[in-house]
């Protein structure tokens, strides 16, 4: 493969989120000057392990623990309380977060969280199983142009006018959702005062991040764009309505940061060696029995944000093919390969059968996917190894991987038609095989 040097690198999850992006971003951030988030909010959960110590983030870019310049782009919805908690945590740990936050990112209020839960309750089987962080309702207000942006918090008069409107609207909505005239126990003045205070504290970080990032590119600075969730969980190309409300695929970088498509140099998609998913919706390759249990325990598949056990299944190369088509990645990072050790045979889903016929394309409609039967091929698994062995393999490089694990990777690459450049075989930064130079 021709190696292209890049100045802007995008890393997104190719499937349902939780692909282990945090670690990959952290790894590649060492060469960047700026790390940017461009969508989502504190529904995300990135875990980064450095020298055995775990750092968990929900809102700030993972690059924060490398003391990079971190940017919260316009495409995010921001809960200021969480933002300050994460900043405080970092400072306590001795980091010096250098944060820039977009003046046009949208603000999450307590009524958004409340309504998130109530709306979910109304959806029955169509509930996505949200993280209850108010993400959907805040994006909803953004789109209907009732939303409050970061810059609104910086001007008491403007904030007052907009806040009055949204508070009253949401109060009515609450009463409709609970089907009662009983008022909620949110105190309007208390929230107003609290958010004005947040505005005051935020001021020092607020800029027009589109100008900032474009100028940084002009100056030759290296920028890493860090996706949250995954392409198949996104509002446009995900399995609707069982996904999140932001633009999670790589195209979201442009909308959520103000950097044009021709300024993006390289795209890396992160996939897991198996499938996992939290929340509702069909998952054709889901494993319910002992194998599922084993993978969940080996992979510690419990949500970083909600602690919920994740649903796990065999790798779904059929939906990944769709994801790889829309994202048009340059290459892949494959994570958690070590966690499949001891599973033999391993199945790989290569297609779906619907109504007795093999489908040619991934059927994005959830009602169809629900009725699909996965078509599998099988491959032999590899023996479990102690973690020191995986660390040794990471040091020695790709060729030291068990042969069967290499065969598995080869098959994934062959079916998806894309090469993998990073293989992650343990939680620590050092437990990683980098097959080619990335930047
Ligand atoms: P929301 O983003 O909280 O609205 O949740 C919508 C759906 O996306 C639910 O199924 C969540 O479980 C899922 N979700 C949201 N954020 C993440 C994430 O970071 N990883 C995996 N799933 C997520």
């Amino acid at each position: 493969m021709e190696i292209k040097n890049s100045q802007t690198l995008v890393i997104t999850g190719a499937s349902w989120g939780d692909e282990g992006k945090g670690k990959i971003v952290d790894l590649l951030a060492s060469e960047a000057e700026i790390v940017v988030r461009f969508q989502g909010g504190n529904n995300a959960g990135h875990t980064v392990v450095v020298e055995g110590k775990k750092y968990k983030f929900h809102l700030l870019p993972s690059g924060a623990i490398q003391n990079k310049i971190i940017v919260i782009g316009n495409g995010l919805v921001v809960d200021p309380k969480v933002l300050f908690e994460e900043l405080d945590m970092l400072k306590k740990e001795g980091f010096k977060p250098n944060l820039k936050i977009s003046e046009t990112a949208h603000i999450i209020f307590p009524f958004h969280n409340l309504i998130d839960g109530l709306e979910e309750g109304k959806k029955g089987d169509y509930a996505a199983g949200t993280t209850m962080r108010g993400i959907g309702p805040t994006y909803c207000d953004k789109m209907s142009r009732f939303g409050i942006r970061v810059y609104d918090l910086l001007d008491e008069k403007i904030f007052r006018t907009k806040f009055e409107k949204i508070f009253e609207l949401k109060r009515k909505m609450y009463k409709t959702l609970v089907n009662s005239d009983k008022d909620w126990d949110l105190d309007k003045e208390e929230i107003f005062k609290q958010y004005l205070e947040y505005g005051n504290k935020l001021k020092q970080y607020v800029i027009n991040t589109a100008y900032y990032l474009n100028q940084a590119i002009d100056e030759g600075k290296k920028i890493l764009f860090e996706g949250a969730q995954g392409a198949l969980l996104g509002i446009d190309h995900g399995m609707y309505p069982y996904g999140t409300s932001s633009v999670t695929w790589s195209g979201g970088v442009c909308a959520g940061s103000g950097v044009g498509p021709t300024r993006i140099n390289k795209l890396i998609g992160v996939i897991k060696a198996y499938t996992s998913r939290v929340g509702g919706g069909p998952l054709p390759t889901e494993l319910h029995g002992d194998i599922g249990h084993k993978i969940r325990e080996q992979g510690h598949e419990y949500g970083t944000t909600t602690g919920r056990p994740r649903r796990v299944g065999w790798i779904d190369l059929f939906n990944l093919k769709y994801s790889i088509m829309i994202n048009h990645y340059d290459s892949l990072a494959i994570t958690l390969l070590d966690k499949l050790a001891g599973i033999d045979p391993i199945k790989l889903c290569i297609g779906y059968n619907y109504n007795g016929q093999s489908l040619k394309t991934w059927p994005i409609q959830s009602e169809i996917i629900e009725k699909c039967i996965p078509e599998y091929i099988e491959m032999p698994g590899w023996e479990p190894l102690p973690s020191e062995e995986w660390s040794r393999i990471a040091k020695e490089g790709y060729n030291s991987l068990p042969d069967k694990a290499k065969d598995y990777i080869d098959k994934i690459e062959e079916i998806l038609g894309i090469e993998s450049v990073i293989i992650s075989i343990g939680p620590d930064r050092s437990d990683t095989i980098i097959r080619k130079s990335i930047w």
Side-chain angles (χ1 to χ4, degrees), residues 14 232 316-328 350 360 362 412-418:
L232 299 180
D316 187 336
L317 298 173
F318 198 43
N319 69 21
L320 283 174
K321 233 181 153 136
Y322 177 79
S323 176
I324 281 156
M325 175 190 73
I326 58 166
N327 282 288
H328 210 267
I350 52 163
K360 293 206 166 50
W362 187 60
I412 292 173
E413 292 184 338
E414 179 197 319
I415 292 173
L416 295 179
I418 183 169

Side-chain angles (χ1 to χ4, degrees), residues 16-18 21 42-46 116 120 127-137 228-230 233 241-246 277-280 305-306 308 310:
W16 313 109
D18 306 319
K21 293 178 294 296
N42 59 309
N43 48 349
H46 304 297
D116 195 350
E120 277 283 282
T130 75
T131 57
M132 306 281 180
R133 301 297 191 262
I135 307 296
Q229 291 86 43
L233 209 56
Y242 301 105
T244 190
S245 27
S246 65
R277 179 159 178 30
V278 277
T305 302
T306 59
R308 289 179 289 181
R310 296 183 187 134

Side-chain angles (χ1 to χ4, degrees), residues 20-34:
K21 293 178 294 296
K23 170 181 163 170
I24 306 298
V25 169
D26 173 64
L27 199 74
L28 299 178
S30 59
E31 274 196 55
E33 271 189 65
I34 304 171

Side-chain angles (χ1 to χ4, degrees), residues 38-227:
F38 54 91
Q39 46 73 226
N42 59 309
N43 48 349
H46 304 297
T47 308
V48 182
V49 185
V50 186
E51 284 160 15
K53 191 165 168 53
K54 250 190 203 172
Y55 299 93
K56 290 187 180 185
F57 296 90
H58 299 285
L59 182 57
L60 292 176
S62 315
I65 54 170
Q66 297 203 25
N67 290 325
K68 302 291 171 183
I69 299 169
I70 46 174
V71 174
I72 291 195
N74 58 280
L76 274 89
V77 288
V78 176
D79 185 330
K81 183 168 180 280
V82 175
L83 182 85
F84 291 120
E85 278 168 6
E86 290 193 359
L87 282 174
D88 287 348
M89 179 273 282
L90 282 175
K91 285 179 196 159
K92 243 185 238 143
E93 293 285 338
F95 298 103
K96 295 191 183 77
N98 185 351
L99 173 69
K100 316 269 176 217
I101 175 162
S102 165
E103 55 190 359
T104 54
H106 278 249
I107 299 290
I108 301 176
F109 288 87
F111 43 75
H112 289 123
N113 298 50
L114 193 60
I115 284 171
D116 195 350
L118 292 171
E119 283 185 337
E120 277 283 282
K122 294 275 174 203
K123 288 179 182 163
D125 286 347
Y126 284 108
T130 75
T131 57
M132 306 281 180
R133 301 297 191 262
I135 307 296
T138 310
Y139 275 115
C140 202
D141 285 339
K142 168 179 173 170
M143 293 308 181
S144 56
R145 281 138 295 142
F146 263 108
I148 292 187
R149 288 171 150 188
V150 167
Y151 61 40
D152 293 320
L153 297 185
L154 310 186
D155 183 312
E156 184 168 351
K157 225 168 129 206
I158 295 173
F159 179 38
R160 171 60 82 182
T161 310
K162 294 189 179 179
F163 183 70
E164 286 288 339
K165 282 198 198 327
I166 197 167
F167 193 88
E168 292 311 326
L169 185 83
K170 296 289 143 179
R171 176 185 258 160
K172 282 193 193 120
M173 198 169 166
Y174 169 83
K175 287 182 181 172
T176 307
L177 284 166
V178 295
N179 198 18
S180 152
D181 243 359
K182 199 173 155 272
D183 206 1
W184 56 16
D185 52 12
L186 296 179
D187 184 322
K188 184 155 84 177
E189 288 314 309
E190 204 177 286
I191 298 174
F192 182 78
K193 222 173 103 218
Q194 173 76 79
Y195 274 70
L196 206 56
E197 231 171 80
Y198 286 147
N200 255 328
K201 275 174 80 182
L202 274 179
K203 210 177 281 171
Q204 57 183 311
Y205 307 113
V206 180
I207 57 165
N208 181 314
T209 48
Y211 273 119
Y212 177 76
L213 293 172
N214 279 287
Q215 195 178 336
I217 295 172
D218 291 342
E219 288 165 3
K221 295 189 171 138
K222 284 189 167 181
I223 304 179
L224 193 153
F225 294 91
E226 165 181 353

Side-chain angles (χ1 to χ4, degrees), residues 405-434:
K406 281 186 280 190
D407 292 344
Y408 184 67
I409 292 169
D410 286 348
K411 187 54 82 183
I412 292 173
E413 292 184 338
E414 179 197 319
I415 292 173
L416 295 179
I418 183 169
E419 65 174 358
S420 58
V421 286
I422 300 176
I423 310 292
S424 171
I425 50 173
D428 214 280
R429 252 183 213 164
S430 57
D431 299 328
T432 317
I433 299 168
I434 301 194

